[in-house]
Every structure is written in structure tokens, then in C-alpha cells.
Amino acid sequence: GNSVTQMEGPVTLSEEAFLTINCTYTATGYPSLFWYVQYPGEGLQLLLKATKADDKGSNKGFEATYRKETTSFHLEKGSVQVSDSAVYFCAPNRGSTLGRLYFGRGTQLTVWP
Amino acid sequence: KAGVTQTPRYLIKTRGQQVTLSCSPISGHRSVSWYQQTPGQGLQFLFEYFSETQRNKGNFPGRFSGRQFSNSRSEMNVSTLELGDSALYLCASSLAGRQSPLHFGNGTRLTVT
């Protein structure tokens, strides 16, 4: 089956620090990989995605590369801002179905000014 | 384009009652999924509908049910509420295809007393 191991939080950083949130997955088939972000009181928003090996997804300064050989999809940002404070979720989909994502436990990020 | 709309936003019920939550997907999206989010269990998949048919079901008791209408709008129902059903219930819609991301609503916060 599919599963996700995501870096435990909480992660606390100062503004402009470098961010890495590790994510590894197990999956049958060839999943697409997603990072979602959840701000307080809201649902999840798609942050970025990658659909095949070596693809790099990027958005708002965040990047993640689909590494099939290590089954990883680590999230990085070179310089975080206070507004990046949120919970981040890594999620592969199940290759043959539509709406079922396998979410990690989420990583709480807090950025201090 | 309007996003995924969930109603109501907040709900308070007592044990033993039943509740119906509603979800209107993004126009053109035919796949609707439901997730339960709690601090202890994280995000757990409830079920997924496509073209009025349930395609996948998570590991929840039969008290949890859902349906999808011909206009793709979806409802989920929880009968005989228990305290442990208190959670944020998230609905997500997507286009068909494994590369299509989920688009989430802001959720319905259910409190069972």
C-alpha cells in the first residue's frame, strides 16, 4: 500500500532562514506527489506538485524534486517569511484512483521575525 | 472561478444525533472526496465519489455515509454521533486523472457534546 513518512514538527525558524521538510513515501505504481499547506482555520491548499521522476515542482519560493530512486519529495525554501507559518503536508496519490491522497502527519512551521 | 464550498462552517450536535454536511465542488470537477481531520489521527480519508458512484471508502464505520448528486454536489451523513466524531471535515474536488490535485474547501467544524 501507500504511506508517507514526514519530518516531525514543530519546526521553528527565524525569518530568512533556510527550510527543509523531509518526506519519503512508499507507493505502488507511479504516484504523483503533492505538497499542501494549511493555514489556521482553513482547508488545505495545493503548494506544488510533481508527476514524474526528476520533476521539480515550485511555487512561492518553495521547491521539491521527485526522487524516484530514494522515494523522496523533500520541501525546501531558501528564505522563509513570517507568512509561511502554517502546517505542511506531503501526499502521494494512489496511482490508479482519483481523489485518495495519502497524507503525512503534517509539519507545523513557525517563523519568527 | 468559485472554489469548493462547504456548509455549514460550524456545527454543534449532541451524542446520538445525526448530521449532514454539504459540499459544492468547483465547476467542472466530477470527483469529490471527504476527509476527517483530528489532532490525534491527522487527515483520514472517508470516501470518494465520481459521477454519483462511490469509488473508494476509507476505514470508517457504517455510521459514516455519503452521496453525490448529478450536479456533482456531495453530502456526507454521520448518524448516531459519538464524542470522537468531533473533527474538521474537509471536502475536496478534482478533475479526473492521477495528476490532478485536490482542491479543498475550508471545512465544517463539527463538535459533538
Side-chain angles (χ1 to χ4, degrees):
Chain A
N2 293 29
S3 67
V4 177
T5 301
Q6 191 175 334
M7 179 173 148
E8 291 278 331
V11 174
T12 304
L13 295 172
S14 298
E15 209 166 23
E16 299 184 3
F18 183 84
L19 168 71
T20 300
I21 300 178
N22 290 336
C23 171
T24 57
Y25 65 92
T26 59
T28 55
Y30 207 146
S32 294
L33 303 175
F34 303 90
W35 276 100
Y36 284 84
V37 58
Q38 187 176 31
Y39 298 100
E42 298 184 10
L44 278 70
Q45 299 176 23
L46 176 68
L47 182 59
L48 52 83
K49 72 173 187 177
T51 58
K52 61 182 187 296
D54 301 324
D55 257 6
K56 177 185 281 189
S58 61
N59 185 27
K60 300 180 181 179
F62 291 90
E63 293 182 338
T65 301
Y66 191 142
R67 300 291 186 198
K68 192 169 188 293
E69 64 279 9
T70 56
T71 61
S72 64
F73 194 52
H74 305 321
L75 182 68
E76 296 182 336
K77 186 173 185 182
S79 176
V80 293
Q81 305 300 312
V82 172
S83 57
D84 294 328
S85 298
V87 182
Y88 292 81
F89 294 90
C90 178
N93 75 348
R94 187 175 166 186
S96 59
T97 64
L98 303 176
R100 184 167 191 170
L101 295 183
Y102 291 81
F103 285 97
R105 295 287 292 178
T107 301
Q108 171 75 57
L109 170 65
T110 302
V111 180
W112 297 100
Chain B
K1 199 181 230 185
V4 177
T5 303
Q6 290 188 248
T7 56
R9 193 70 200 276
Y10 300 94
L11 209 48
I12 300 175
K13 293 285 188 179
T14 57
R15 277 177 298 176
Q17 288 187 311
Q18 74 163 20
V19 66
T20 299
L21 312 181
S22 180
C23 173
S24 293
I26 291 173
S27 177
H29 287 191
R30 292 164 63 192
S31 171
V32 174
S33 303
W34 289 88
Y35 289 80
Q36 181 196 64
Q37 187 177 29
T38 59
Q41 299 297 319
L43 281 157
Q44 293 195 287
F45 172 77
L46 279 157
F47 25 66
E48 172 199 354
Y49 288 87
F50 182 79
S51 294
E52 302 178 66
T53 302
Q54 188 180 87
R55 293 298 185 95
N56 275 293
K57 190 175 193 302
N59 190 26
F60 278 82
R63 301 185 297 106
F64 291 80
S65 63
R67 58 179 176 168
Q68 186 181 33
F69 302 95
S70 59
N71 61 359
S72 293
R73 191 176 69 84
S74 178
E75 289 181 347
M76 67 163 281
N77 184 276
V78 188
S79 62
T80 320
L81 284 166
E82 300 177 359
L83 294 178
D85 297 333
S86 295
L88 180 66
Y89 290 87
L90 293 166
C91 168
S93 73
S94 69
L95 295 168
R98 71 172 188 88
Q99 298 183 7
S100 300
L102 299 186
H103 299 265
F104 285 84
N106 283 332
T108 294
R109 172 76 62 186
L110 171 65
T111 302
V112 182
T113 62

